[in-house]
């Protein structure tokens, strides 16, 4: 889609008029989440991947051979908490967008 080429991250959410507001909210949340993830450093991704796999900060520190404080600093710089919130928001808005699209198609 041509419009996606000119959008942040090449991401567009398209919907009919009945779901346009929900699609716009979802698209905005995805753009913001993508921007956050795009700023993560390789060190930030190391911590994020370990935590996503269920490791505690203490376990991540042990696996990476760094202090727990260093893990916490990397997690903060990588926006782990913000990333989790963004993921939950995107999932919520995606469900709303689908509901809006289904409701629009049922008319």
């Amino acid at each position: 889609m041509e419009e996606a080429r000119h959008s942040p991250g090449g991401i567009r959410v398209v919907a009919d008029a009945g779901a346009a507001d929900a699609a716009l909210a979802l698209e905005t949340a995805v753009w913001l989440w993508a921007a956050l993830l795009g700023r993560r450093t390789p060190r930030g991704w190391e911590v994020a991947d370990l935590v996503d796999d269920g490791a505690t900060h203490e376990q991540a520190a042990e696996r990476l051979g760094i202090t727990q404080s260093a893990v916490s600093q990397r997690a903060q710089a990588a926006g782990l908490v913000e990333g989790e919130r963004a993921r939950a928001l995107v999932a919520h808005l995606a469900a709303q967008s689908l509901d809006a699209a289904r409701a629009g198609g049922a008319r």
Side-chain angles (χ1 to χ4, degrees):
M1 170 182 263
E2 184 63 31
E3 293 170 356
R5 290 184 197 172
H6 303 291
S7 299
I11 300 166
R12 285 297 307 238
V13 177
V14 179
D16 62 17
D21 287 344
L24 179 62
L26 174 59
E27 181 178 86
T28 301
V30 171
W31 286 357
L32 294 170
W33 187 26
L36 172 76
L37 297 178
R39 291 185 183 100
R40 277 194 186 156
T41 65
R43 288 179 172 189
W45 277 109
E46 284 179 330
V47 170
D49 290 343
L50 288 169
V51 170
D52 281 348
D53 287 343
T56 64
H57 282 200
E58 183 178 355
Q59 292 166 333
E62 197 172 298
R63 290 183 193 163
L64 295 172
I66 60 177
T67 66
Q68 191 171 345
S69 176
V71 168
S72 294
Q73 289 172 357
R74 287 185 190 185
Q76 185 175 7
L80 260 60
V81 172
E82 295 88 343
E84 284 302 311
R85 291 279 182 103
R87 182 187 320 200
L89 178 61
V90 166
H92 174 76
L93 292 174
Q96 283 188 333
S97 292
L98 285 173
D99 289 345
R102 288 180 183 131
R107 292 181 195 176

